[in-house]
Amino acid sequence: MKPLHSLIVCAILLSAGAGLALAYARGLDAQRPQLRAALEAAESGRFDAARYAGLQSHPVWPWIEYAALSHDIATLSDAQAWDFLQRRQDLPVAGLFRGQWLAELARRQDWPAFLATWQPRENVALRCDELQARRATGNADAQWTADAQAIWLSSGKSLPDACDPVFAALDGAGGLTPPLRWQRIDLAIGEGQPNVIRSIARGLPAADAALANDYAAFLDAPHPRAARWPKDARSRTVALVGLARLAEKDADAAEAQAWALADALAMGETERGKLMYSLALWSAASYLPDSARRLNAVPATLYDERLHEWRVREAMARADWPAALAALRKMTPAQRADPHWQYFEARLAEKTGDAAEARRLYAEVAKSATFHGFLAADRLGQPYALCPWQPARDHQAKAAVAADPGIVRAMELWQLDRPNWATREWDAALKRFDDAQRRLAVEVANDNGWFDRAVFALGRQPDESRLYELRFPLHHERTIEREARKNALDPAWVASEIRAESVFNPKARSPADARGLMQVLPSTGAAVARRIGQPWNGGDTLYDADANIAIGSAYLREVLDKYGAPYVAIAAYNAGPTPTARWQSQRPGFDPDFWIETISYRETREYVARVLAFSTIYDWRMHGKALPLSERLRGNFDGKRKPFACPAQS
């Protein structure tokens, strides 16, 4: 794919014409190997600006400067840093460098230079450094105390180490009073942070410290001493939070202690209701035998969307269709109107013998291009709803967006494998754009192979969900088709896995070290490569698109062979074998749609539905028609494809 560059187009259609634009594009492409070498030299401390003098007019040159300065920041002079900040003050790179330079000045304790460089930051550590700088330069006034106390009360979680000297000074000046400590302990209780409570308690009087430490111990493991706590709101809150934490692990153990403690601490009706809520929620999420009893005990006024959903799932998991339908109809009208729950209201109406109501609801749901909308269309035997939006083409406007200096830098940095830097430039550029320009920027990003911009930048306007070609890119299609055939898989399924896992980014890497298009772990990749005879040169093999698709498709085939049905295989691909085995044993023989809906993990439940819906859309992209989703999720890939139609036109 040939990238579409930006400044490219500055001369482009705007002034000098397409010939100059193409020449500029080729110039940027030709310079990229030298740019990459310059960046690598800058990042490794081997940078000689004179050697790369020919690149100094390149849009990305400020980032090369930044890389060199960042590497040498421990020995950098004020003059060097200031020179860069002044010259690049209007660019995103200046904001990134300023944060690093402030951290370095704080390390040096060069507080006058720190204050001269300071601009307000969201970074809490740097805000604490700024307080240190003010105090060190004789400005620990009433405003300093107020600002330090504001940070103290900004979170119930642990704060950065840079704040420790500020809080020590605040304490020494009498600014960390016991009431202020208790205020932060209250925040920590709400966040479930026992270690933070223990740390704060060190500055309390002995009796208060003992109580605070007992609160912290209860959050770790509820204990009977809680019955002797003061009968006040704080004690009751600790009891509620601690029992909720226990209920998430063991609802039966939490309930065994709950009501005696509620009596001992004089909990009121509202607090008892919150306790019932936690017991019911975590019971239902684990499908425990007492779930229905606990759900029914929660006052109706405390039901929210989350608990309504779990009451429906709990009844579904028991195949109690009338109870599930009754629970669903207790949802708010807005929640019931969601296509997801409309579909299940139709299914449950069908299960309980109301075919007419089921058809009425299916007809509504089938208007949506969603997982449940596609399933509803299958049940009615009608085409899938899809209404693609194609905004009027404006090549000159797109050229202008591509020529935006920030977009130029973003696209070049993406091509240079610096996604974090590219995103900074992208975000800054989009702040200047209107909706039409934002959509054109996504097109430019797609032209450069940066496909996830459509995921993150579209959706602000309702029609943008219908930009299917942008939202569902299709790259490496020949490899996908070849490997799908080789492994007897549906190619649309392989494409949808890539879209769900990496949005077609071959360099994607997860925190768990899953790599490449299909997010395969190196250990898995090595084992699969060995079994299929795929050359393997270590984990970086997975960054090669063709190798990743070959290995990922073969692994998908192995998972499908193990579990027998795509919807179970997709769950296992996401969650792993242990929870999948549990879900299979809990609900054997369930219809696929009910089995998916009763998956315990929200991430996996939504992942399975998402991949299957994406498969239908990718089938449309590849063939203009699609296998019925109800057949696809069972592994019947050879059926007759069905058409798509926009409901407004049918």
Side-chain angles (χ1 to χ4, degrees):
M1 172 183 292
K2 194 64 147 180
L4 172 64
H5 294 289
S6 309
L7 266 199
I8 292 180
V9 209
C10 197
I12 262 198
L13 299 149
L14 298 178
S15 55
L20 274 179
L22 184 59
Y24 188 83
R26 287 173 176 165
L28 289 181
D29 289 348
Q31 286 181 302
R32 196 166 298 126
Q34 193 179 10
L35 266 178
R36 194 179 295 277
L39 269 176
E40 290 172 356
E43 290 172 335
S44 62
R46 298 178 289 101
F47 185 65
D48 178 0
R51 181 180 177 187
Y52 300 102
L55 295 176
Q56 292 186 18
S57 62
H58 193 284
V60 170
W61 182 256
W63 286 96
I64 297 174
E65 289 184 297
Y66 161 78
L69 293 173
S70 182
H71 181 275
D72 297 334
I73 200 161
T75 58
L76 212 59
S77 70
D78 286 352
Q80 288 173 299
W82 267 107
D83 173 66
F84 181 78
L85 288 170
Q86 296 259 323
R87 286 187 296 105
R88 306 304 184 189
Q89 60 185 316
D90 296 327
L91 302 181
V93 69
L96 183 60
F97 178 72
R98 186 182 300 275
Q100 290 184 321
W101 181 236
L102 285 168
E104 172 59 24
L105 290 172
R107 187 190 67 79
R108 298 180 189 181
Q109 296 191 357
D110 187 347
W111 302 123
F114 183 100
L115 291 174
T117 308
W118 174 256
Q119 288 180 358
R121 322 285 293 183
E122 292 185 5
N123 183 294
V124 176
L126 287 177
R127 286 167 59 200
C128 284
D129 287 335
E130 190 262 351
L131 285 168
Q132 281 205 72
R134 283 159 59 186
R135 180 173 176 272
T137 54
N139 292 304
D141 53 12
Q143 186 59 53
W144 184 93
T145 299
D147 291 346
Q149 288 174 336
I151 292 178
W152 171 261
L153 295 176
S154 65
S155 174
K157 296 181 178 179
S158 181
L159 291 168
D161 291 347
C163 296
D164 291 348
V166 173
F167 296 150
L170 184 64
D171 190 27
L176 277 187
T177 61
L180 206 66
R181 288 183 179 275
W182 277 113
Q183 278 184 260
R184 187 150 180 246
I185 285 173
D186 287 338
L187 295 173
I189 291 166
E191 295 281 3
Q193 296 286 318
N195 288 334
V196 173
I197 295 172
R198 293 184 179 98
S199 176
I200 299 168
R202 295 189 190 111
L204 289 172
D208 283 4
L211 179 58
N213 282 316
D214 213 35
Y215 286 159
F218 189 89
L219 294 183
D220 281 329
H223 53 68
R225 297 187 304 278
R228 299 191 295 275
W229 289 345
K231 294 178 174 58
D232 59 20
R234 180 178 290 127
S235 294
R236 291 191 287 270
T237 299
V238 175
L240 290 172
V241 173
L243 289 170
R245 284 160 60 95
L246 177 59
E248 186 173 356
K249 303 172 187 173
D250 187 341
D252 292 338
E255 187 173 44
Q257 301 183 49
W259 305 119
L261 188 54
D263 291 340
L265 295 177
M267 285 190 185
E269 184 177 343
T270 300
E271 290 160 332
R272 288 172 183 268
K274 291 178 180 178
L275 192 47
M276 293 175 192
Y277 180 104
S278 296
L279 294 170
L281 174 65
W282 297 115
S283 292
S286 300
Y287 299 116
L288 298 180
D290 273 346
S291 296
R293 173 182 63 79
R294 290 171 180 152
L295 285 161
N296 290 333
V298 179
T301 54
L302 293 182
Y303 263 81
D304 56 9
E305 287 195 357
R306 188 183 189 191
L307 201 60
H308 275 302
E309 291 182 1
W310 277 108
R311 180 159 58 177
V312 176
R313 290 192 192 102
E314 188 278 333
M316 285 180 180
R318 292 185 286 107
D320 188 341
W321 313 125
L325 182 58
L328 196 153
R329 286 176 172 166
K330 290 178 181 176
M331 290 177 169
T332 64
Q335 191 174 9
R336 280 179 68 185
D338 186 288
H340 176 166
W341 293 112
Q342 273 191 322
Y343 171 80
F344 280 108
E345 186 168 358
R347 281 288 275 135
L348 293 166
E350 192 173 49
K351 287 277 191 182
T352 54
D354 193 345
E357 177 65 0
R359 289 188 66 82
R360 183 189 72 79
L361 289 165
Y362 285 141
E364 286 297 313
V365 183
K367 296 175 184 177
S368 65
T370 63
F371 173 64
H372 297 100
F374 296 148
L375 287 178
D378 282 352
R379 300 197 79 82
L380 294 174
Q382 67 184 41
Y384 290 141
L386 205 72
C387 300
W389 180 37
Q390 288 284 0
R393 297 292 181 189
D394 187 336
H395 297 292
Q396 189 168 358
K398 181 176 178 180
V401 167
D404 180 272
I407 295 296
V408 174
R409 289 189 294 272
M411 297 306 114
E412 275 297 306
L413 290 166
W414 174 255
Q415 296 294 336
L416 290 165
D417 301 322
R418 300 302 190 281
N420 293 334
W421 297 355
T423 300
R424 282 181 173 269
E425 292 283 2
W426 170 270
D427 290 344
L430 257 61
K431 289 178 181 177
R432 302 190 300 272
F433 291 169
D434 61 22
D435 288 339
Q437 291 171 316
R438 174 172 49 80
R439 290 190 288 269
L440 291 171
V442 171
E443 289 188 28
V444 173
N446 264 31
D447 293 340
N448 281 271
W450 194 5
F451 300 116
D452 72 4
R453 296 302 87 188
V455 175
F456 295 114
L458 296 179
R460 299 179 195 175
Q461 301 295 323
D463 283 340
E464 290 177 358
S465 66
R466 299 191 289 115
L467 293 169
Y468 292 110
E469 290 190 9
L470 287 176
R471 291 180 56 232
F472 295 92
L474 187 55
H475 206 36
H476 310 293
E477 188 172 1
R478 288 185 179 179
T479 304
I480 290 170
E481 294 272 8
R482 182 189 69 235
E483 297 303 323
R485 282 196 305 272
K486 186 184 297 183
N487 292 285
L489 294 172
D490 174 21
W493 179 15
V494 176
S496 71
E497 287 286 355
I498 295 172
R499 167 62 167 77
E501 292 287 344
S502 68
V503 198
F504 284 83
N505 177 8
K507 299 298 176 67
R509 185 172 184 172
S510 79
D513 199 28
R515 302 185 186 188
L517 292 171
M518 297 186 74
Q519 288 292 274
V520 179
L521 290 168
S523 57
T524 301
V528 173
R530 185 170 59 251
R531 288 194 288 271
I532 66 174
Q534 173 74 29
W536 181 258
N537 297 305
D540 285 357
T541 302
L542 295 168
Y543 293 130
D544 177 84
D546 286 353
N548 189 285
I549 294 170
I551 291 168
S553 298
Y555 177 62
L556 205 57
R557 179 72 247 181
E558 291 179 5
V559 177
L560 180 59
D561 288 343
K562 178 177 180 178
Y563 292 103
Y567 67 95
V568 184
I570 294 168
Y573 196 93
N574 176 259
T578 301
T580 303
R582 182 173 69 251
W583 300 328
Q584 285 184 298
S585 66
Q586 286 173 337
R587 292 175 293 286
F590 258 48
D591 291 345
D593 51 357
F594 284 112
W595 192 89
I596 294 166
E597 184 57 34
T598 51
I599 289 174
S600 303
Y601 299 169
R602 175 179 177 178
E603 178 190 340
T604 303
R605 186 167 63 246
E606 294 179 351
Y607 179 87
V608 175
R610 186 163 63 249
V611 168
L612 287 165
F614 288 178
S615 298
T616 300
I617 294 172
Y618 273 109
D619 218 353
W620 167 75
R621 285 222 58 189
M622 291 173 163
H623 306 108
K625 296 183 177 182
L627 288 167
L629 182 54
S630 53
E631 295 296 312
R632 181 192 303 280
L633 57 78
R634 294 177 183 274
N636 300 327
F637 300 136
D638 299 323
K640 182 180 179 181
R641 283 181 165 81
K642 62 189 294 183
F644 289 77
C646 182
Q649 300 170 357
S650 58

